[in-house]
Amino acid sequence: MRTYAKPIAAVTGSLVLAVGLTACGGSTAASDEKIVTVYSADGLKGEAGDGWYDKVFADFEKKTGIKVKYVEGGSGEMVQRALREKSNTQADVIVTLPPFIQQAGSKGLLQKYTPQGADQVGGGDKASDGTWTSVVNNYFGFIHNKKELPAAPKSWEELLDGRFKNKLQYSTPGVAGDGTAVLIKAMHDFGGQEPAMEYLKKLQANNVGPSSSTSKLAPKVDKGELLVANGDVQMNFAQSKSMPNLGIWFPAKGAGRPTTFALPYAAGLVDKAPHTENGRKLLDFMLTEGAQREVSAVGGGFPARKDVKATDANAIELARLMEGVEVFEPDWADIDKNLKTYVDAWKSATGS
Protein backbone atom coordinates (compact mmCIF):
# COMPACT_ATOMS: atom_id res chain seq x y z
CA MET A 1 0.00 0.00 0.00
CA ARG A 2 1.06 3.56 -0.42
CA THR A 3 -0.23 6.90 0.76
CA TYR A 4 -1.20 9.33 -1.95
CA ALA A 5 0.93 12.44 -1.94
CA LYS A 6 0.78 13.88 -5.43
CA PRO A 7 -1.64 13.99 -8.40
CA ILE A 8 -2.45 10.50 -9.69
CA ALA A 9 -5.33 9.61 -11.68
CA ALA A 10 -19.95 4.11 -14.15
CA VAL A 11 -19.73 3.53 -14.95
CA THR A 12 -23.16 3.24 -14.66
CA GLY A 13 -26.58 2.62 -15.79
CA SER A 14 -29.02 3.39 -18.47
CA LEU A 15 -28.33 3.89 -22.11
CA VAL A 16 -28.43 7.62 -22.77
CA LEU A 17 -27.77 7.69 -26.48
CA ALA A 18 -28.34 4.99 -29.02
CA VAL A 19 -27.18 5.23 -32.57
CA GLY A 20 -28.65 3.25 -35.42
CA LEU A 21 -25.88 1.66 -37.40
CA THR A 22 -25.92 -0.72 -40.31
CA ALA A 23 -23.59 -3.67 -40.23
CA CYS A 24 -20.43 -2.83 -42.05
CA GLY A 25 -18.43 -5.98 -41.37
CA GLY A 26 -15.11 -4.25 -41.92
CA SER A 27 -15.82 -3.65 -45.59
CA THR A 28 -13.96 -1.16 -47.76
CA ALA A 29 -17.00 1.12 -47.73
CA ALA A 30 -17.01 1.04 -43.94
CA SER A 31 -13.31 1.85 -43.73
CA ASP A 32 -13.89 4.88 -45.93
CA GLU A 33 -16.61 6.30 -43.72
CA LYS A 34 -15.69 9.35 -41.68
CA ILE A 35 -17.15 8.01 -38.42
CA VAL A 36 -15.95 6.17 -35.33
CA THR A 37 -18.33 4.59 -32.83
CA VAL A 38 -17.45 4.62 -29.12
CA TYR A 39 -19.14 2.48 -26.46
CA SER A 40 -18.29 3.99 -23.08
CA ALA A 41 -19.00 3.95 -19.38
CA ASP A 42 -20.40 7.29 -18.29
CA GLY A 43 -18.65 10.06 -16.41
CA LEU A 44 -16.49 11.67 -19.09
CA LYS A 45 -19.26 13.33 -21.11
CA GLY A 46 -20.75 16.42 -19.49
CA GLU A 47 -24.52 16.75 -19.12
CA ALA A 48 -24.16 20.32 -20.33
CA GLY A 49 -21.77 19.39 -23.13
CA ASP A 50 -18.78 20.54 -21.09
CA GLY A 51 -17.04 17.25 -20.30
CA TRP A 52 -13.69 15.86 -21.41
CA TYR A 53 -15.29 13.75 -24.11
CA ASP A 54 -17.17 16.77 -25.46
CA LYS A 55 -13.94 18.72 -25.85
CA VAL A 56 -11.80 15.85 -27.13
CA PHE A 57 -14.38 14.55 -29.62
CA ALA A 58 -14.98 18.05 -31.01
CA ASP A 59 -11.22 18.66 -31.37
CA PHE A 60 -10.77 15.23 -32.98
CA GLU A 61 -13.51 15.86 -35.53
CA LYS A 62 -12.08 19.30 -36.33
CA LYS A 63 -8.62 17.85 -36.89
CA THR A 64 -9.55 14.67 -38.79
CA GLY A 65 -13.05 15.19 -40.15
CA ILE A 66 -14.08 11.96 -38.40
CA LYS A 67 -17.35 12.21 -36.48
CA VAL A 68 -17.67 10.37 -33.16
CA LYS A 69 -20.88 8.41 -32.63
CA TYR A 70 -21.27 7.86 -28.92
CA VAL A 71 -23.14 5.21 -26.91
CA GLU A 72 -23.07 5.39 -23.12
CA GLY A 73 -24.09 2.95 -20.40
CA GLY A 74 -22.83 0.93 -17.46
CA SER A 75 -19.38 -0.64 -17.66
CA GLY A 76 -20.82 -4.16 -17.65
CA GLU A 77 -23.66 -3.13 -19.94
CA MET A 78 -21.29 -1.88 -22.63
CA VAL A 79 -19.26 -5.10 -22.59
CA GLN A 80 -22.41 -7.22 -22.75
CA ARG A 81 -23.72 -5.18 -25.66
CA ALA A 82 -20.46 -5.60 -27.57
CA LEU A 83 -20.51 -9.31 -26.79
CA ARG A 84 -24.04 -9.69 -28.19
CA GLU A 85 -22.88 -7.92 -31.36
CA LYS A 86 -19.72 -9.99 -31.75
CA SER A 87 -20.88 -11.54 -35.03
CA ASN A 88 -22.08 -8.15 -36.30
CA THR A 89 -19.68 -5.64 -34.76
CA GLN A 90 -20.98 -2.10 -34.32
CA ALA A 91 -18.43 -0.45 -32.00
CA ASP A 92 -14.92 0.61 -32.94
CA VAL A 93 -13.66 1.65 -29.49
CA ILE A 94 -14.82 0.56 -26.06
CA VAL A 95 -14.01 2.54 -22.90
CA THR A 96 -14.87 0.92 -19.59
CA LEU A 97 -13.62 0.43 -16.05
CA PRO A 98 -11.90 -2.54 -14.42
CA PRO A 99 -12.75 -5.37 -14.10
CA PHE A 100 -14.92 -5.01 -17.21
CA ILE A 101 -12.07 -4.00 -19.53
CA GLN A 102 -10.29 -7.22 -18.51
CA GLN A 103 -13.55 -9.06 -19.13
CA ALA A 104 -13.74 -7.57 -22.62
CA GLY A 105 -10.23 -8.80 -23.29
CA SER A 106 -10.80 -12.31 -21.94
CA LYS A 107 -13.95 -12.67 -24.07
CA GLY A 108 -12.05 -11.81 -27.24
CA LEU A 109 -13.73 -8.44 -27.81
CA LEU A 110 -10.50 -6.49 -28.22
CA GLN A 111 -7.74 -6.45 -30.81
CA LYS A 112 -4.17 -5.51 -30.05
CA TYR A 113 -3.23 -1.91 -30.61
CA THR A 114 -0.74 0.27 -28.75
CA PRO A 115 -1.71 3.93 -29.14
CA GLN A 116 0.92 6.62 -29.59
CA GLY A 117 1.83 7.89 -26.11
CA ALA A 118 1.04 4.58 -24.39
CA ASP A 119 4.70 4.24 -23.49
CA GLN A 120 4.06 7.02 -20.95
CA VAL A 121 1.18 5.08 -19.30
CA GLY A 122 2.11 3.08 -16.20
CA GLY A 123 2.37 -0.69 -16.50
CA GLY A 124 -0.57 -1.30 -14.19
CA ASP A 125 -2.76 1.00 -16.27
CA LYS A 126 -2.50 -0.93 -19.54
CA ALA A 127 -2.82 -4.53 -20.67
CA SER A 128 0.35 -6.60 -20.89
CA ASP A 129 -0.95 -8.07 -24.17
CA GLY A 130 -1.56 -4.64 -25.73
CA THR A 131 -5.36 -4.87 -25.93
CA TRP A 132 -6.23 -1.79 -23.80
CA THR A 133 -4.71 1.36 -22.37
CA SER A 134 -6.00 3.78 -19.74
CA VAL A 135 -6.90 7.18 -21.15
CA VAL A 136 -8.09 8.84 -17.91
CA ASN A 137 -7.04 7.79 -14.43
CA ASN A 138 -9.62 7.80 -11.68
CA TYR A 139 -10.32 6.49 -8.16
CA PHE A 140 -13.25 4.91 -6.38
CA GLY A 141 -14.97 6.97 -3.69
CA PHE A 142 -18.16 7.88 -1.89
CA ILE A 143 -20.14 11.11 -1.72
CA HIS A 144 -22.12 12.81 1.06
CA ASN A 145 -24.47 15.77 1.29
CA LYS A 146 -22.37 18.56 2.79
CA LYS A 147 -25.43 20.57 3.87
CA GLU A 148 -27.33 17.83 5.71
CA LEU A 149 -24.20 15.91 6.73
CA PRO A 150 -21.40 18.49 7.02
CA ALA A 151 -18.83 16.03 8.40
CA ALA A 152 -18.31 13.05 6.14
CA PRO A 153 -18.53 9.64 7.84
CA LYS A 154 -15.11 8.22 8.58
CA SER A 155 -15.77 4.49 8.54
CA TRP A 156 -17.84 1.72 7.01
CA GLU A 157 -19.22 1.05 10.47
CA GLU A 158 -20.74 4.52 10.79
CA LEU A 159 -22.97 3.77 7.81
CA LEU A 160 -24.80 1.14 9.87
CA ASP A 161 -26.23 3.91 12.07
CA GLY A 162 -30.02 4.31 11.99
CA ARG A 163 -29.77 7.89 10.70
CA PHE A 164 -28.79 6.46 7.30
CA LYS A 165 -31.90 4.29 6.95
CA ASN A 166 -33.32 4.92 3.46
CA LYS A 167 -30.74 7.69 3.07
CA LEU A 168 -27.98 5.53 1.61
CA GLN A 169 -27.68 3.88 -1.78
CA TYR A 170 -24.99 2.26 -3.90
CA SER A 171 -25.11 1.11 -7.51
CA THR A 172 -25.52 -2.53 -8.45
CA PRO A 173 -22.42 -4.74 -8.39
CA GLY A 174 -21.92 -6.65 -11.61
CA VAL A 175 -23.79 -3.99 -13.61
CA ALA A 176 -22.13 -0.70 -12.66
CA GLY A 177 -18.36 -0.36 -12.45
CA ASP A 178 -18.61 1.72 -9.28
CA GLY A 179 -21.10 -0.74 -7.81
CA THR A 180 -18.65 -3.56 -8.43
CA ALA A 181 -16.01 -1.37 -6.79
CA VAL A 182 -18.05 -1.42 -3.55
CA LEU A 183 -17.49 -5.18 -3.40
CA ILE A 184 -13.81 -4.90 -4.24
CA LYS A 185 -13.12 -2.28 -1.58
CA ALA A 186 -15.23 -4.04 1.06
CA MET A 187 -13.42 -7.35 0.47
CA HIS A 188 -10.09 -5.55 0.77
CA ASP A 189 -10.96 -3.51 3.84
CA PHE A 190 -12.70 -6.31 5.74
CA GLY A 191 -10.15 -8.95 4.81
CA GLY A 192 -11.99 -11.26 2.46
CA GLN A 193 -15.26 -12.25 0.86
CA GLU A 194 -17.02 -13.66 3.93
CA PRO A 195 -16.53 -10.71 6.32
CA ALA A 196 -17.31 -8.25 3.51
CA MET A 197 -20.61 -10.00 2.79
CA GLU A 198 -21.45 -10.09 6.48
CA TYR A 199 -21.03 -6.32 6.59
CA LEU A 200 -22.99 -5.66 3.38
CA LYS A 201 -25.81 -7.84 4.73
CA LYS A 202 -26.03 -5.50 7.74
CA LEU A 203 -25.76 -2.42 5.55
CA GLN A 204 -28.76 -3.58 3.52
CA ALA A 205 -31.05 -2.44 6.34
CA ASN A 206 -30.18 1.17 5.41
CA ASN A 207 -29.86 0.73 1.64
CA VAL A 208 -32.58 2.24 -0.55
CA GLY A 209 -32.09 -0.53 -3.10
CA PRO A 210 -30.37 -1.34 -6.38
CA SER A 211 -29.43 1.25 -8.98
CA SER A 212 -27.98 0.46 -12.39
CA SER A 213 -26.70 4.04 -12.64
CA THR A 214 -24.07 5.51 -10.34
CA SER A 215 -24.22 8.94 -11.95
CA LYS A 216 -27.92 9.24 -11.12
CA LEU A 217 -27.17 8.94 -7.40
CA ALA A 218 -25.28 12.24 -7.23
CA PRO A 219 -28.33 14.48 -7.89
CA LYS A 220 -30.18 12.62 -5.12
CA VAL A 221 -27.32 13.29 -2.71
CA ASP A 222 -27.08 16.92 -3.78
CA LYS A 223 -30.83 17.42 -3.12
CA GLY A 224 -30.68 15.64 0.24
CA GLU A 225 -32.82 12.69 -0.82
CA LEU A 226 -29.78 10.61 0.06
CA LEU A 227 -27.09 11.41 2.61
CA VAL A 228 -24.49 8.99 1.22
CA ALA A 229 -23.88 7.14 -2.05
CA ASN A 230 -21.01 5.57 -3.94
CA GLY A 231 -19.29 7.10 -6.94
CA ASP A 232 -15.83 7.85 -8.25
CA VAL A 233 -13.57 10.85 -7.89
CA GLN A 234 -13.56 12.05 -11.51
CA MET A 235 -17.30 11.83 -12.07
CA ASN A 236 -18.30 13.26 -8.71
CA PHE A 237 -15.70 16.04 -8.84
CA ALA A 238 -17.05 17.09 -12.24
CA GLN A 239 -20.63 16.87 -10.96
CA SER A 240 -19.82 18.97 -7.90
CA LYS A 241 -19.30 22.01 -10.15
CA SER A 242 -23.06 22.11 -10.70
CA MET A 243 -24.07 20.23 -7.53
CA PRO A 244 -22.58 22.28 -4.68
CA ASN A 245 -23.72 19.99 -1.87
CA LEU A 246 -21.58 17.04 -3.01
CA GLY A 247 -18.60 16.10 -0.88
CA ILE A 248 -16.19 13.25 -1.73
CA TRP A 249 -14.89 10.90 0.96
CA PHE A 250 -13.31 7.45 1.40
CA PRO A 251 -14.47 4.95 4.06
CA ALA A 252 -11.98 3.34 6.42
CA LYS A 253 -12.28 0.08 8.33
CA GLY A 254 -12.79 1.07 11.95
CA ALA A 255 -10.15 3.56 13.05
CA GLY A 256 -7.84 2.70 10.16
CA ARG A 257 -6.80 4.84 7.23
CA PRO A 258 -9.23 5.60 4.42
CA THR A 259 -8.51 3.51 1.34
CA THR A 260 -9.25 3.54 -2.36
CA PHE A 261 -8.00 1.99 -5.58
CA ALA A 262 -7.58 3.07 -9.16
CA LEU A 263 -10.58 2.82 -11.49
CA PRO A 264 -9.16 4.10 -14.77
CA TYR A 265 -11.20 4.66 -17.88
CA ALA A 266 -9.50 2.07 -20.08
CA ALA A 267 -9.89 2.08 -23.86
CA GLY A 268 -9.46 -0.69 -26.37
CA LEU A 269 -9.91 -1.20 -30.10
CA VAL A 270 -12.82 -3.57 -30.75
CA ASP A 271 -12.02 -6.76 -32.63
CA LYS A 272 -13.33 -6.69 -36.21
CA ALA A 273 -14.28 -3.03 -35.75
CA PRO A 274 -16.05 -1.61 -38.81
CA HIS A 275 -13.81 1.48 -38.74
CA THR A 276 -10.58 0.11 -37.33
CA GLU A 277 -8.29 2.83 -38.69
CA ASN A 278 -10.55 5.58 -37.33
CA GLY A 279 -10.58 3.83 -33.96
CA ARG A 280 -6.78 3.82 -33.92
CA LYS A 281 -6.71 7.53 -34.72
CA LEU A 282 -9.12 8.31 -31.87
CA LEU A 283 -7.12 6.26 -29.35
CA ASP A 284 -3.95 8.07 -30.46
CA PHE A 285 -5.70 11.43 -30.09
CA MET A 286 -7.01 10.72 -26.58
CA LEU A 287 -3.44 10.08 -25.43
CA THR A 288 -1.89 13.20 -27.00
CA GLU A 289 -0.31 15.60 -24.52
CA GLY A 290 -2.92 18.23 -25.37
CA ALA A 291 -5.87 15.95 -24.62
CA GLN A 292 -4.19 14.64 -21.49
CA ARG A 293 -3.61 18.15 -20.12
CA GLU A 294 -7.35 18.73 -20.31
CA VAL A 295 -8.21 15.61 -18.29
CA SER A 296 -8.12 17.56 -15.03
CA ALA A 297 -8.82 21.06 -16.30
CA VAL A 298 -11.93 20.03 -18.26
CA GLY A 299 -12.87 16.57 -17.01
CA GLY A 300 -11.92 16.66 -13.33
CA GLY A 301 -9.85 13.49 -13.68
CA PHE A 302 -6.21 12.46 -13.56
CA PRO A 303 -3.96 12.23 -16.65
CA ALA A 304 -3.13 8.69 -17.73
CA ARG A 305 0.28 9.76 -19.04
CA LYS A 306 3.00 9.97 -16.40
CA ASP A 307 4.85 12.71 -18.28
CA VAL A 308 1.85 15.08 -18.16
CA LYS A 309 1.99 16.96 -14.87
CA ALA A 310 -1.24 18.87 -14.47
CA THR A 311 -0.96 22.15 -12.53
CA ASP A 312 -4.42 23.65 -13.09
CA ALA A 313 -6.76 24.54 -10.23
CA ASN A 314 -8.68 21.28 -10.52
CA ALA A 315 -5.47 19.24 -10.36
CA ILE A 316 -4.40 21.03 -7.18
CA GLU A 317 -7.81 20.46 -5.58
CA LEU A 318 -7.82 16.80 -6.58
CA ALA A 319 -4.35 16.27 -5.13
CA ARG A 320 -5.52 17.80 -1.85
CA LEU A 321 -8.58 15.53 -1.83
CA MET A 322 -6.39 12.42 -2.17
CA GLU A 323 -3.90 13.33 0.57
CA GLY A 324 -3.58 10.67 3.26
CA VAL A 325 -5.64 8.11 1.35
CA GLU A 326 -4.04 4.69 0.92
CA VAL A 327 -4.20 3.38 -2.63
CA PHE A 328 -4.21 -0.40 -2.93
CA GLU A 329 -3.98 -2.48 -6.09
CA PRO A 330 -6.68 -5.14 -6.53
CA ASP A 331 -5.87 -8.53 -8.00
CA TRP A 332 -7.67 -7.90 -11.26
CA ALA A 333 -6.90 -11.36 -12.63
CA ASP A 334 -8.64 -12.92 -9.62
CA ILE A 335 -11.57 -10.51 -9.90
CA ASP A 336 -11.99 -11.17 -13.61
CA LYS A 337 -11.96 -14.93 -12.95
CA ASN A 338 -14.27 -14.87 -9.91
CA LEU A 339 -16.50 -11.83 -10.48
CA LYS A 340 -19.65 -13.92 -10.92
CA THR A 341 -18.91 -15.74 -7.65
CA TYR A 342 -18.49 -12.45 -5.78
CA VAL A 343 -21.63 -10.91 -7.28
CA ASP A 344 -23.63 -14.05 -6.50
CA ALA A 345 -22.37 -13.94 -2.91
CA TRP A 346 -23.47 -10.30 -2.68
CA LYS A 347 -26.93 -11.16 -4.06
CA SER A 348 -27.27 -13.96 -1.51
CA ALA A 349 -26.09 -11.82 1.40
CA THR A 350 -28.32 -8.85 0.59
CA GLY A 351 -31.32 -10.64 -0.88
CA SER A 352 -30.93 -8.60 -4.07
Side-chain angles (χ1 to χ4, degrees), residues 7-9 117 120-121 286-296 302-312 315:
I8 51 181
Q120 294 296 332
V121 176
M286 288 195 287
L287 277 179
T288 59
E289 287 191 41
Q292 287 291 299
R293 290 191 186 283
E294 293 173 332
V295 167
S296 57
F302 305 80
R305 288 180 57 147
K306 296 180 294 183
D307 61 336
V308 174
K309 308 298 183 184
T311 58
D312 58 90

Side-chain angles (χ1 to χ4, degrees), residues 40-104:
S40 179
D42 66 354
L44 293 176
K45 196 173 193 304
E47 292 184 14
D50 55 355
W52 186 70
Y53 272 164
D54 300 286
K55 181 70 165 64
V56 169
F57 291 169
D59 290 347
F60 176 72
E61 183 175 356
K62 184 178 180 180
K63 179 179 179 181
T64 65
I66 299 169
K67 182 175 179 58
V68 178
K69 294 203 171 185
Y70 180 71
V71 178
E72 181 180 284
S75 285
E77 179 187 2
M78 290 294 91
V79 173
Q80 288 304 310
R81 177 166 175 163
L83 190 61
R84 290 194 302 270
E85 298 169 350
K86 198 171 181 182
S87 62
N88 183 23
T89 309
Q90 303 293 302
D92 301 302
V93 171
I94 190 166
V95 184
T96 188
L97 307 188
F100 297 101
I101 193 66
Q102 288 89 348
Q103 187 181 84

Side-chain angles (χ1 to χ4, degrees), residues 92-336:
D92 301 302
V93 171
I94 190 166
V95 184
T96 188
L97 307 188
F100 297 101
I101 193 66
Q102 288 89 348
Q103 187 181 84
S106 65
K107 292 183 180 298
L109 293 176
L110 306 176
Q111 59 175 295
K112 294 181 180 180
Y113 179 64
T114 303
Q116 295 176 25
D119 59 319
Q120 294 296 332
V121 176
D125 293 326
K126 58 187 176 185
S128 58
D129 64 358
T131 53
W132 58 265
T133 306
S134 297
V135 292
V136 171
N137 280 346
N138 189 22
Y139 293 85
F140 177 61
F142 276 71
I143 49 176
H144 69 106
N145 180 292
K146 294 192 293 186
K147 184 178 179 181
E148 301 294 332
L149 190 68
K154 294 185 182 300
S155 69
W156 287 104
E157 290 81 0
E158 282 186 57
L159 298 180
L160 300 177
D161 191 272
R163 65 181 167 150
F164 294 108
K165 187 172 181 62
N166 295 324
K167 289 288 188 177
L168 175 150
Q169 192 172 16
Y170 61 90
S171 52
T172 307
V175 176
D178 286 331
T180 306
V182 172
L183 291 189
I184 295 170
K185 178 171 158 57
M187 287 192 295
H188 171 269
D189 289 359
F190 286 91
Q193 177 183 318
E194 187 174 338
M197 299 310 159
E198 288 177 4
Y199 168 79
L200 292 171
K201 181 178 181 179
K202 295 176 184 176
L203 185 65
Q204 196 66 10
N206 288 343
N207 188 16
V208 171
S211 171
S212 62
S213 172
T214 313
S215 64
K216 290 182 180 177
L217 300 181
K220 295 180 180 180
V221 174
D222 184 59
K223 294 173 185 175
E225 295 174 23
L226 298 172
L227 291 177
V228 168
N230 69 314
D232 63 71
V233 175
Q234 178 277 325
M235 179 174 65
N236 295 142
F237 185 84
Q239 289 172 319
S240 70
K241 300 303 181 182
S242 60
M243 301 179 194
N245 293 323
L246 292 189
I248 299 172
W249 67 288
F250 307 90
K253 170 67 171 66
R257 287 182 179 179
T259 67
T260 189
F261 62 96
L263 271 181
Y265 290 91
L269 188 65
V270 178
D271 188 45
K272 299 181 178 66
H275 312 98
T276 292
E277 188 57 35
N278 294 348
R280 288 175 178 151
K281 289 177 181 179
L282 179 60
L283 289 171
D284 289 348
F285 192 81
M286 288 195 287
L287 277 179
T288 59
E289 287 191 41
Q292 287 291 299
R293 290 191 186 283
E294 293 173 332
V295 167
S296 57
V298 176
F302 305 80
R305 288 180 57 147
K306 296 180 294 183
D307 61 336
V308 174
K309 308 298 183 184
T311 58
D312 58 90
N314 283 352
I316 293 169
E317 192 174 345
L318 286 163
R320 189 178 300 118
L321 176 68
M322 298 295 293
E323 285 177 359
V325 180
E326 287 189 352
V327 178
F328 66 90
E329 186 172 336
D331 184 343
W332 291 116
D334 170 78
I335 293 165
D336 181 36

